Amino acid sequence: MKRNNLTIGLFGFGCVGYGLHEVLQKTPTLKTTIKTICVKQKNKARQLPQTAFTFDRNDILNDPEINVVVELIDDAKAAYEIVTAALRKGKAVVTANKKMLAEHLPELLALQQEYKVPLLYEAACCASIPIIRNLEEYYDNDLLESIEGIVNGSTNYILTKTAEENISYEEALLSAQKNGYAESNPILDTGGFDAKYKLVLLLAHAFGIVVQPEEIFHVGIDRISNLELQYAKEKELKIKLVATAYKNDDGTIAAFVLPKLVAKQDKLFRVDDVFNGVITKTSFADTQFFMGKGAGAHPTASAVLSDISALSYDYRYEYKKRNSTEKLQPETEILVKLLLSHNTVDKNWLKAYFSEVVESYANREVGYIIGTISLYALRQIIEKSRHPVSPILLEAMKPSLQPVAVDDTSVYDFAVVE
């Protein structure tokens, strides 16, 4: 049954908040109104009259007429306080704060069940791509084999700029910051944390497992050097930051975030700029590909709007796969083939961590090792090395993932640029 009495209390009026306001104005068929907007800075110039705003969160939380709280602020701690208070007061919640969700998912699941109110967060994963709704409603757990994708628009923009304009990582990052795709301190994106938070959410809906962010291995793009960029260019490959999860034969789930080399035949190869792309693989439907803008005010606002529209039909996530017995596969058992670049002449201690070394090279300044290694061993290298190392995934050692086939010549015949 459709409800036509959604009254919204909005927290945050930045790019996404203003974008949501614009989108709602252009969607008259959705009988929804924003009654109050709560913001933090009192003296900031805004596009709406001052009477539309409040600076006290309780003006929304304690208003009995407001039955939907939309949280669009960038402070994860404050967002958690707002969201939990709203749920306890019986208000439906829509949020885009992936860090807050990933760090507190067990508590938020319990609050939804206790107070029987929905918490929707499609915009927290891939902005305009409705991946959570599809995982929740379309895929049955015993059919879904893997999910992998580019889930961070900022890093994808940076990597696209380095590939298309032949500029350094530092120059591409500066461009991202100037265009508003990266913060002045961009480590949340470039360090791979944002992608990891999103993978936590995807795991809950794809495979029914709820994990803490620190349980997932991640490496961002902030370690990438000119060596890897030149390698990708020479081999006509692209580097993408990819979140990966797949189901093993024993029922365990491997999950990690790593920069990855993709070839032209890979669906992720053509996902450029601020776009996101997600590939799912099932036992019967094989692979399906989702692509859409992963950053920007209107793409994110459109996902928020979709959740608000779903609330008008009393929609909520059912977490149908939550009773599954799957667990994360230990890092000691997750094997990957990768190219590990380094800037130390003494590479022998690095090679000792590999279960197989196919090729290695080092001059006085840089070097690389190509081989198979466990994620646990890779973590040890990263934590113990006194010099920067940069791992680039070639393939996960899981046959059902159908990794991109790259012949021996394109992988190993590599001349280091001195």
Side-chain angles (χ1 to χ4, degrees), residues 129-140:
I129 302 176
I131 187 62
I132 293 180
R133 197 87 53 85
N134 274 278
L135 290 173
E136 183 73 15
E137 301 299 331
Y138 184 77
Y139 297 104
D140 191 291

Side-chain angles (χ1 to χ4, degrees), residues 10 75 78 84 136 202 239 243 264 274 279 281 371 401 412 417:
L10 174 62
D75 184 333
T84 53
E136 183 73 15
L202 292 174
I239 301 175
K264 290 181 179 179
V274 296
I279 302 170
K281 186 176 187 301
L401 258 184
Y412 305 128
V417 179

